[in-house]
Amino acid sequence: MQHFRHENLSHDPIHGYIRFTSSVGIPEGEVAEQQIIDHPWVQRLRQIHQLQTAWWVYPTAEHTRFQHVLGAMHLASMAVSRLYPSLREVCPDVPSPGYVETLTRMAALLHDVGHGPFGHFFDQHFLADYGLTHETLGCHIILHELGDLLRRVRRNPNGQLEAHETLDPGQVALLIQRPTASNTEAIPRWLQLLRSLFSGLYTVDNMDFVLRDAYMSGYTLRAFDLERLLHYSFFSPKGLTVHERGLSTLVRFISVRADLFRTVYFHRTVRSIDLSLAEVFAASKEHLFPGNPLERLDDYLEFTEWSLLVRVAEWARSSNPALRDLGLRWRDILNRKIRWKMACERVVFFDPDDPEPTSVFSDERLFEAAIRARLPRELKDLPLRFDPPRHVHRPGTLAPASGQNFLYDPATEQIRSLEDHELFRQIPVSSRICRIYALDHRYNRELARAMDELLGASRADDATNM
């Protein structure tokens, strides 16, 4: 009977029942997972869409960051249940199973707590002005707004911390950050390994959003075999390792994730909306939020897509002419009047030997200059927008998440690099969907011709440099 008092369930269309500890009947002084879930900083994520602006294109994709972080927390338990025995073999000094599971669950639940309206768009178009990302802002929130509560979380639905253990908010914050030289030194090996569940090839974050976004957008009901991928995963001395029997499932996961970027996240109309949003957002920033979020956390707590969209909808009736003009521009976005039309599109793939950083497609300004140089004289000043969004299919050798995932070869009983396997080598390192947008479709043919000329010249340069 006590078991039912101490646990609650949330039903999820992706994972079924998600379990979390209840605040009813817990020992005095402890904090239940329910209290973290119900905290305003986490409940705020109900008001931020998971899919940035894609919900304006995919009518059923109305899910939020809140649903996603609950799913990620659930996957953290699934992953630790499978991986803890091998983690202890590699790292005998690892804390108890209850500590590791609670730690990863809280990191998964809080990994998006720093997000602002429109998710990653807000990172690029607002937080970057202050040298912030949603991750650095999230770490601050975890340490300074939620730290005292996290230290008193002592159990999860499957176990509890040992008497001498106290959950460390600093370790929660560390797990949600991308690895860098400065934040990797002097941390325990077991914690370094756990980080691959948050920043490697397949993580509790991206495994949930691939399943969830694919389902909610209508792309597919079951994007990849989650159970098989986890079943064939373990920690080796080198890092998170997949048995060769699970490699095809990992490749399937990477392929579906890439396809979601092409068909959903980077959909031509989604990116067109982003172009218009970027234009009006740049002129609106000073009216939307009063400065550095780190210095105004109380205001940031209340700043969500709901509050933003309600505010900008009112501007069209403002007595201030400048604000009224911005309001009319926002009204077009709210009414889904799409200004920029895609004229042409080409996809460029980069393999390990391709020099992407020096490619003309790696920089929007270089891309624009190269296209305009190939247009007829009368079209060189045509109003256009150039959009080459990038997707990383697998980390390159210099990427932050590189060196965290490995392959077990049962034939040789050795741990190898994933790149040694031909099935993995067929996956490109990255790709760019290179698009040109115009105000109408009158010059599609000329723009496509310039794009193809540029692609031909780029491939010829690559061949010369080989």
Side-chain angles (χ1 to χ4, degrees):
M1 295 292 291
Q2 293 299 316
H3 171 77
F4 296 119
R5 292 184 63 211
H6 296 163
E7 179 180 293
N8 284 344
L9 300 176
S10 174
H11 193 268
D12 181 74
I14 308 302
H15 305 300
Y17 285 110
I18 293 176
R19 302 159 60 206
F20 54 92
T21 58
S22 168
S23 56
V24 176
I26 63 170
E28 185 177 355
E30 280 194 28
V31 168
E33 292 176 326
Q34 181 183 2
Q35 292 168 265
I36 306 297
I37 293 170
D38 287 344
H39 194 280
W41 276 111
V42 179
Q43 289 295 310
R44 169 181 177 273
L45 299 179
R46 290 182 183 270
Q47 301 180 29
I48 298 175
H49 282 94
Q50 172 70 11
L51 288 189
Q52 192 166 302
T53 56
W55 56 277
W56 266 308
V57 176
Y58 291 88
T60 60
E62 290 277 355
H63 55 301
T64 69
R65 295 272 169 187
F66 179 75
Q67 295 144 24
H68 164 58
V69 298
L70 285 183
M73 180 184 71
H74 175 77
L75 290 191
S77 275
M78 290 183 64
V80 170
S81 174
R82 174 62 195 167
L83 296 169
Y84 184 84
S86 60
L87 181 62
R88 179 172 284 283
E89 284 187 19
V90 174
C91 303
D93 63 335
V94 65
S96 69
Y99 184 96
V100 171
E101 184 170 353
T102 302
L103 172 67
T104 54
R105 282 172 66 86
M106 290 299 97
L109 178 68
L110 299 174
H111 79 276
D112 277 349
V113 75
H115 265 304
F118 307 116
H120 293 279
F121 175 95
F122 192 75
D123 278 49
Q124 180 181 355
H125 295 277
F126 190 92
L127 295 182
D129 294 350
Y130 301 95
L132 299 172
T133 67
H134 75 275
E135 291 171 349
T136 55
L137 190 52
C139 287
H140 184 89
I141 293 167
I142 288 168
L143 292 173
H144 301 286
E145 299 292 304
L146 300 171
D148 290 341
L149 292 174
L150 289 170
R151 291 184 187 92
R152 291 188 283 143
V153 177
R154 299 202 54 80
R155 66 190 71 232
N156 62 73
N158 301 307
Q160 61 187 47
L161 280 66
E162 300 287 349
H164 65 279
E165 295 175 328
T166 300
L167 192 64
D168 183 352
Q171 292 179 350
V172 176
L174 183 78
L175 286 181
I176 76 165
Q177 299 178 69
R178 296 180 185 277
T180 64
S182 61
N183 67 21
T184 300
E185 297 175 356
I187 68 172
R189 177 61 176 161
W190 64 266
L191 196 57
Q192 293 182 34
L193 294 178
L194 280 182
R195 181 181 261 177
S196 61
L197 298 179
F198 292 85
S199 62
L201 262 181
Y202 55 111
T203 68
V204 296
D205 174 18
N206 62 26
M207 286 190 295
D208 180 82
F209 78 61
V210 166
L211 289 170
R212 191 171 304 278
D213 297 350
Y215 179 88
M216 297 302 293
S217 66
Y219 172 85
T220 181
L221 295 182
R222 198 67 177 173
F224 69 98
D225 194 337
L226 168 68
E227 289 77 11
R228 184 179 180 88
L229 183 55
L230 289 179
H231 178 80
Y232 282 112
S233 296
F234 63 97
F235 283 114
S236 71
K238 290 191 174 182
L240 183 58
T241 302
V242 61
H243 192 289
E244 191 172 49
R245 292 178 186 173
L247 182 59
S248 61
T249 305
L250 175 59
V251 170
R252 164 70 178 170
F253 167 75
I254 295 171
S255 174
V256 171
R257 186 183 61 179
D259 213 29
L260 281 175
F261 272 87
R262 284 193 294 269
T263 60
V264 178
Y265 314 139
F266 293 163
H267 185 283
R268 66 185 184 282
T269 307
V270 172
R271 297 297 292 188
S272 176
I273 293 170
D274 285 350
L275 289 172
S276 296
L277 184 62
E279 292 172 347
V280 69
F281 194 86
S284 304
K285 283 193 290 190
E286 62 180 298
H287 306 289
L288 289 172
F289 195 82
N292 188 335
L294 275 181
E295 299 169 0
R296 298 176 175 269
L297 283 180
D298 290 342
D299 293 327
Y300 193 67
L301 178 62
E302 305 296 328
F303 187 48
T304 66
E305 278 174 38
W306 287 15
S307 68
L308 183 152
L309 294 176
V310 168
R311 188 181 308 172
V312 299
E314 296 172 346
W315 288 354
R317 298 187 295 273
S318 173
S319 59
N320 181 324
L323 209 56
R324 186 167 59 250
D325 176 66
L326 282 174
L328 292 173
R329 293 168 63 187
W330 274 103
R331 179 180 290 176
D332 284 344
I333 292 176
L334 297 178
N335 291 336
R336 205 178 172 281
K337 291 183 178 178
I338 299 171
R339 182 184 185 202
W340 295 103
K341 320 296 181 186
M342 192 186 77
C344 65
E345 167 188 303
R346 301 291 185 269
V347 181
V348 181
F349 293 94
F350 297 93
D351 293 319
D353 296 329
D354 292 334
E356 183 188 359
T358 61
S359 168
V360 70
F361 302 107
S362 65
D363 185 280
E364 183 181 319
R365 292 166 297 179
L366 293 175
F367 178 30
E368 177 175 359
I371 290 293
R372 289 193 183 278
R374 288 167 170 80
L375 290 176
R377 180 176 301 176
E378 63 274 17
L379 300 182
K380 288 188 182 296
D381 296 324
L382 191 69
L384 300 170
R385 291 294 181 270
F386 297 81
D387 185 41
R390 179 181 189 243
H391 172 59
V392 177
H393 299 248
R394 56 187 175 102
T397 55
L398 300 178
S402 65
Q404 296 190 91
N405 297 92
F406 299 88
L407 173 70
Y408 173 70
D409 182 352
T412 62
E413 298 184 339
Q414 292 182 338
I415 308 297
R416 302 162 51 194
S417 168
L418 280 166
E419 283 79 4
D420 289 343
H421 198 283
E422 59 276 4
L423 189 62
F424 192 79
R425 286 201 304 269
Q426 73 176 354
I427 304 170
V429 171
S430 61
S431 64
R432 286 186 181 268
I433 304 177
C434 303
R435 295 188 178 117
I436 303 174
Y437 288 85
L439 296 176
D440 54 51
H441 295 293
R442 286 182 293 168
Y443 304 107
N444 285 10
R445 183 171 299 178
E446 291 84 353
L447 292 168
R449 184 181 299 118
M451 179 83 90
D452 289 336
E453 287 180 8
L454 177 58
L455 277 170
S458 177
R459 288 164 181 156
D461 289 344
D462 290 346
T464 300
N465 293 329
M466 289 178 64

